[in-house]
Amino acid sequence: MTSTPSNFVGETVHFLAAKTVAIDQYHSTVLSYGDELVITSEIVELSTDRNGDSWLDGIGTPSSSARLGSWPADEPRLLTGSFEWQEARESARAAAFAMPDEPERRAALKKVESKFGPALTTSRILSVTKDS
């Protein structure tokens, strides 16, 4: 049995995957990729399960969905391939295509490609049969 690390109180934690966290006795919140949370003593207390383990115990380990500190400023908060990423990419592409000038449009589309990378594939080949 491990003890819940109370030294996290006041620390900011950012999340790399979805996690439900109890905020107080009556409320919890779902945190997603890129979200941040300041740890309070109540969060520390409520994070302890019936075995005495806490999701805070694993912060910073490779298998943990949370890391100490604020989200890195140079990292995008959109997870590549997520619905939010797709919407942001398509919105940026639509804005680029709306430009009336062809050279500006090409430059804007190039920026979209460099920021978001190539579009995700929209189809797959599940099998190939040989002709007899």
Side-chain angles (χ1 to χ4, degrees), residues 5 9 13-15 21 29 32 38 44 52 56-57 64 72 76 80 85-86 104-105 110 114 120 122 124 126-127:
V9 173
V13 176
H14 65 271
F15 292 84
V21 176
T29 188
S32 302
V38 176
V44 170
L56 294 167
D57 294 334
S64 175
T80 302
W85 176 87
Q86 291 174 3
E104 287 179 18
R105 186 180 315 124
K110 198 175 246 186
S114 68
L120 299 178
T122 57
R124 290 186 195 158
L126 298 177
S127 67

Side-chain angles (χ1 to χ4, degrees), residues 48-66:
T48 307
D49 66 15
R50 66 179 183 212
N51 298 319
D53 297 324
S54 169
W55 63 270
L56 294 167
D57 294 334
I59 286 183
T61 62
S63 62
S64 175
S65 63

Side-chain angles (χ1 to χ4, degrees), residues 16-127:
L16 304 174
K19 177 113 185 113
T20 303
V21 176
I23 300 299
D24 61 36
Q25 187 176 358
Y26 304 106
H27 302 96
S28 62
T29 188
V30 177
L31 297 154
S32 302
Y33 183 87
D35 287 343
E36 295 178 358
L37 177 71
V38 176
I39 304 298
T40 64
S41 57
E42 196 163 18
I43 291 173
V44 170
E45 181 183 332
L46 293 171
S47 73
T48 307
D49 66 15
R50 66 179 183 212
N51 298 319
D53 297 324
S54 169
W55 63 270
L56 294 167
D57 294 334
I59 286 183
T61 62
S63 62
S64 175
S65 63
R67 300 283 187 269
L68 270 179
S70 297
W71 186 262
D74 59 341
E75 287 291 319
R77 288 185 185 248
L78 296 174
L79 181 61
T80 302
S82 67
F83 291 121
E84 295 85 3
W85 176 87
Q86 291 174 3
E87 287 176 2
R89 187 179 192 285
E90 288 308 310
S91 176
R93 283 188 72 235
F97 273 117
M99 292 185 167
D101 188 40
E102 180 65 29
E104 287 179 18
R105 186 180 315 124
R106 268 191 255 129
L109 287 169
K110 198 175 246 186
K111 275 186 175 178
V112 170
E113 186 84 13
S114 68
K115 180 178 179 179
F116 292 98
L120 299 178
T121 57
T122 57
S123 62
R124 290 186 195 158
I125 298 173
L126 298 177
S127 67

